[in-house]
Amino acid sequence: MSRILDQRIVLLVISFSASVQSTKVLSEWKKCGDPECEKAMSRVQATTDYLGPDCRYLNFKTGEEIMVYSKLSRENENLWIGSDFGYFPRDAVKVEEVFIGEEVEVLTKETDFLCLHEDKNVFE
């Protein structure tokens, strides 16, 4: 009985650590086209296939067009947030068209790091 309990505890710890890893805050700040981050900032085209490390990331194939709505700043400037909500590295795309002239820096929110698992939402 004790062995079964130990195995369950180990599985619980593994499950919890995987959940925390996939929902951690990637940056405290982001840049947007407006204070609410509702306006598209630019349109980019994928220059390579990309498969993200977890469900918060946008997966795409070379040639796909992506609308950029915000960009993480300060700690993690290499990640942008695009259509269908997902992070992706800025070096995996080329800018096709810029829609806004001036970026606004705002604090991130807990919902910026929402991880969509099928029909479930996972927060940090």
Side-chain angles (χ1 to χ4, degrees), residues 27-43:
S27 178
E28 296 293 323
W29 295 90
K30 64 183 176 180
K31 293 180 182 176
C32 301
D34 63 285
E36 291 78 32
C37 299
E38 294 176 349
K39 294 181 182 175
M41 298 175 72
S42 61
R43 180 176 51 85

Side-chain angles (χ1 to χ4, degrees), residues 75-91:
E75 308 83 64
N76 223 343
E77 291 184 354
N78 64 320
L79 290 177
W80 290 2
I81 301 101
S83 42
D84 298 329
F85 185 81
Y87 296 94
F88 61 92
R90 70 178 178 189
D91 62 354

Side-chain angles (χ1 to χ4, degrees), residues 31-92:
K31 293 180 182 176
C32 301
D34 63 285
E36 291 78 32
C37 299
E38 294 176 349
K39 294 181 182 175
M41 298 175 72
S42 61
R43 180 176 51 85
V44 299
Q45 185 175 42
T47 57
T48 186
D49 292 353
Y50 179 73
L51 181 61
D54 64 49
C55 61
R56 295 173 299 167
Y57 290 78
L58 186 64
N59 300 320
F60 51 78
K61 302 273 187 203
T62 303
E64 286 186 42
E65 287 190 350
I66 302 163
M67 300 300 285
V68 177
Y69 287 92
S70 61
K71 305 171 182 179
L72 294 184
S73 62
R74 300 188 188 189
E75 308 83 64
N76 223 343
E77 291 184 354
N78 64 320
L79 290 177
W80 290 2
I81 301 101
S83 42
D84 298 329
F85 185 81
Y87 296 94
F88 61 92
R90 70 178 178 189
D91 62 354

Side-chain angles (χ1 to χ4, degrees), residues 81-112:
I81 301 101
S83 42
D84 298 329
F85 185 81
Y87 296 94
F88 61 92
R90 70 178 178 189
D91 62 354
V93 300
K94 67 177 177 179
V95 176
E96 295 284 308
E97 186 175 4
V98 176
F99 301 128
I100 56 109
E102 193 172 317
E103 297 174 347
V104 177
E105 190 171 50
V106 297
L107 284 167
T108 59
K109 303 174 196 167
E110 183 179 65
T111 54
D112 290 329

